[in-house]
Amino acid sequence: MDKIRVRGGRRLSGVLQVSGAKNAVLPAMAAALLTPEPVILENSPQVRDVATMIRVLQRMGAAPARRDGARLELSVPAITSAEAPYDLVKTMRASVLVLGPLLARCGAARVSLPGGCAIGERPVNLHIEALRRLGARIEVEHGYIVAEGPRLTGAEIAFESKTVTGTENLMMAATRARGRTVLRNVAQEPEIEDLAELLTKMGARIEGAGSDTIVVDGVEALHGAEHTVIPDRIEAGTFIMAAAITRGDVRVERCRPEHLAAVLEKLRSVGVRMEVGQGTVQVMPDGPLSPGNLVTLPFPGFPTDLQAQYLAMATQAQGNSLITESIFENRFMHVGELRRMGARVDIDGHFAVVHGPTPLTGAQVMATDLRASACLIVAGLVAEGETVIDRAYHIDRGYERIEEKLQKVGADIERIH
Ligand code: EPZ
C-alpha cells in the first residue's frame, strides 16, 4: 500500500498541466460498447479507474485496449458476456455506466449493484426507474441488476433529481431505442456534453446536452469515432486551491476555465487572486484568505468533488466558514483526518463550520475516498512538518502522478512504496 509523504511550508511556483477528465473518459469508454467498431479517446488520463474500466470492458468481450500515452483505443467487436461482476464493480461504482450501453447493444445486462462507498449509500434507483420507462424489464436480485429489453422504445422521462451517471446511462441507452426519448431534469455537467459529443460523432442524434432537457432520436446502429476528452475540472480546481493555500504563483494549464466558473467566483470572493487566460488559470500570491460560506450544487454550481479541498483551504481563512454539502449524505470523512492535523471544524449533518485560521501540523492520516485524499495533500502543503497519507491508491484512482506534478512546482512531496 503506497503512502504519500508531504512536508509543508513550500510556496508552489511554476506550471501545472491538467490531464483529461476521469469523469468524462469513463462514460466515453462505456460508449465503446455501443458499436463493434474502434473508439479512440485522446487526452485520456492514466489513472486507476481507467485501468479498471478496461478490465470491465474486456470481461464483456472488448479486444485488448491499445494505450499510447494519453491515446486509448477500445473496440468491442462482440459482447461475449453482458455481465459486470461484483468483484470489479465494488472497486469502481462507475462500472454501472455499462448498464445503458449493454441494453442498447445486446438487449440484456447483468450488473452488480455498486453498493455504497465512503461518501454515501449511492443508490442507482433513478437509473433503473428510467430504463424501465424505455421498456427494459429490470429485476434487482442477489445484489445484481438483471435487465433485459430486446428493443428499447423512446419515452418521455423526468428525473426526480439530478444524477450524472444516471443521465449518461439513459443518454446511451436511448441512442438505439425506437423513436424519440425526452429526458428532463438531467444533469448539466460538462462531462454530459462531452459524452453527447462523442455519441454524436458515433452517429447518434442528440440535442440539448448541457441543458436540463436532452432529446435523443434512436438510430439503427452506431459506428466508431475519435474523440478528445475534456480536461479534468476537478484536478484543475484542486491545483488552483493547492497554489492558493501556499500563497503560490502557479499557472494551471490545459484546463477549461469556463467549466470552473462557480469555483473561480468563490475563490475570488475569499481573496484568491487569479487571471484567466486561454485554457489557463494563473494563481498569484496575495494577502491572507478571507472566510467564505459554501454550498455544493449540481453544475453549474460549486461541485461537491471540490468541497473537501475547499474545506482544507478554509482552515487558513481569517474567520469561520459554513460549508453545506448538499449532494452526498456523508461527505465530511476528511474532517476527522484534518482534525488530527489541528483543524477546528464543527459538523452537524450536511453542515460544517470551519474555524480559521488554525495552524496545521503534519500527522499520519488516512485517505477515505478520492477527493478526501486530495484535501489531505492540500492541507499537508501548509502543515508544519511531515504528513503521511496512507492508502494512496485512493488518490491514484483519479489523479495522474499527482506527486510528480506537484514536485515540479516545488512541493516537498514523495511517494513511499
Ligand atoms: C458522479 O457520480 C461522479 N462520478 C462523482 O464523482 C460526483 O461526485 C457526482 O457525480 C456528483 O457530481 C462519475 O461521474 C463517475 P449522482 P454519480 O448520480 O453519478 C443520488 C469523484 O470523486 N442518487 O449525480 O454516482 C446520489 O446518492 C466522484 O470523481 C440517487 O439517489 O452521482 C447522490 O446523493 C465521486 N439515486 C446524488 O443523487 C440514483 O439513482 C447525486 O448523485 C442516483 C443518484
Side-chain angles (χ1 to χ4, degrees), residues 22-24 26-27 49 53 92-97 114 117 119-129 159-168 187 189 191 232-234 297-299 303-306 309 325-331 350 369-372 397-399:
K22 164 180 89 77
N23 291 347
L26 293 176
D49 276 5
M53 185 59 100
M92 184 182 68
R93 308 176 24 70
S95 315
V96 76
L97 281 166
C117 72
I119 62 180
E121 195 251 325
R122 314 281 302 269
V124 287
N125 58 306
L126 299 176
H127 302 228
I128 292 170
E129 283 153 28
F159 279 99
E160 181 190 311
S161 64
K162 290 189 184 276
T163 160
V164 174
T165 48
T167 301
E168 291 163 345
E189 272 68 6
E191 292 76 26
D232 195 315
R233 61 196 168 95
I234 305 302
L297 288 169
F299 196 87
T304 172
D305 290 349
L306 282 171
Q309 298 89 319
E325 171 52 59
S326 67
I327 306 291
F328 289 108
E329 68 269 26
N330 185 33
R331 202 170 198 174
H350 284 263
D369 68 270
L370 165 56
R371 307 304 175 182
R397 291 190 49 183
Y399 291 88

Side-chain angles (χ1 to χ4, degrees), residues 245-266:
I245 202 170
T246 63
R247 301 279 188 290
D249 183 0
V250 173
R251 189 168 67 255
V252 176
E253 291 189 341
R254 298 175 60 187
C255 67
R256 291 266 186 92
E258 65 274 20
H259 291 167
L260 284 161
V263 177
L264 302 183
E265 195 57 43
K266 175 52 65 181

Side-chain angles (χ1 to χ4, degrees), residues 14-18 231-233 236-237 239-240 249-261 264 268 273-284:
V15 175
L16 279 169
Q17 296 213 323
V18 175
D232 195 315
R233 61 196 168 95
F239 288 161
I240 291 168
D249 183 0
V250 173
R251 189 168 67 255
V252 176
E253 291 189 341
R254 298 175 60 187
C255 67
R256 291 266 186 92
E258 65 274 20
H259 291 167
L260 284 161
L264 302 183
R268 280 201 184 91
R273 207 151 60 88
M274 292 169 286
E275 237 167 61
V276 170
Q278 188 62 31
T280 66
V281 174
Q282 175 78 40
V283 183
M284 290 165 285

Side-chain angles (χ1 to χ4, degrees), residues 366-389:
M366 188 160 76
T368 50
D369 68 270
L370 165 56
R371 307 304 175 182
S373 353
C375 136
L376 295 171
I377 288 182
V378 169
L381 290 171
V382 288
E384 180 269 317
E386 184 175 282
T387 300
V388 178
I389 300 161

Side-chain angles (χ1 to χ4, degrees), residues 38-190:
V39 170
I40 294 165
L41 301 173
E42 298 285 358
N43 197 33
S44 68
Q46 296 172 64
V47 293
R48 282 170 66 101
D49 276 5
V50 169
T52 304
M53 185 59 100
I54 287 172
R55 282 206 304 280
V56 170
L57 297 178
Q58 282 174 345
R59 289 276 184 101
M60 293 169 186
R66 298 184 41 199
R67 298 204 72 164
D68 171 13
R71 185 182 190 280
L72 172 62
E73 178 172 337
L74 296 166
S75 65
V76 189
I79 304 284
T80 54
S81 158
E83 173 159 337
Y86 178 61
D87 65 307
L88 277 178
V89 175
K90 74 176 182 227
T91 64
M92 184 182 68
R93 308 176 24 70
S95 315
V96 76
L97 281 166
V98 303
L99 182 58
L102 281 175
L103 267 176
R105 173 83 180 267
C106 61
R110 189 169 185 279
V111 176
S112 167
L113 273 172
C117 72
I119 62 180
E121 195 251 325
R122 314 281 302 269
V124 287
N125 58 306
L126 299 176
H127 302 228
I128 292 170
E129 283 153 28
L131 288 169
R132 283 179 173 143
R133 301 274 293 104
L134 293 185
R137 285 184 305 286
I138 301 185
E139 296 302 325
V140 177
E141 54 195 25
H142 309 297
Y144 275 81
I145 304 164
V146 183
E148 49 172 69
R151 191 76 165 92
L152 300 177
T153 308
E156 291 245 353
I157 301 169
F159 279 99
E160 181 190 311
S161 64
K162 290 189 184 276
T163 160
V164 174
T165 48
T167 301
E168 291 163 345
N169 248 333
L170 267 292
M171 209 161 55
M172 290 190 280
T175 56
R176 293 188 57 187
R178 205 193 340 260
R180 171 163 284 194
T181 297
V182 180
L183 303 172
R184 300 187 193 288
N185 193 27
V186 293
Q188 302 179 228
E189 272 68 6

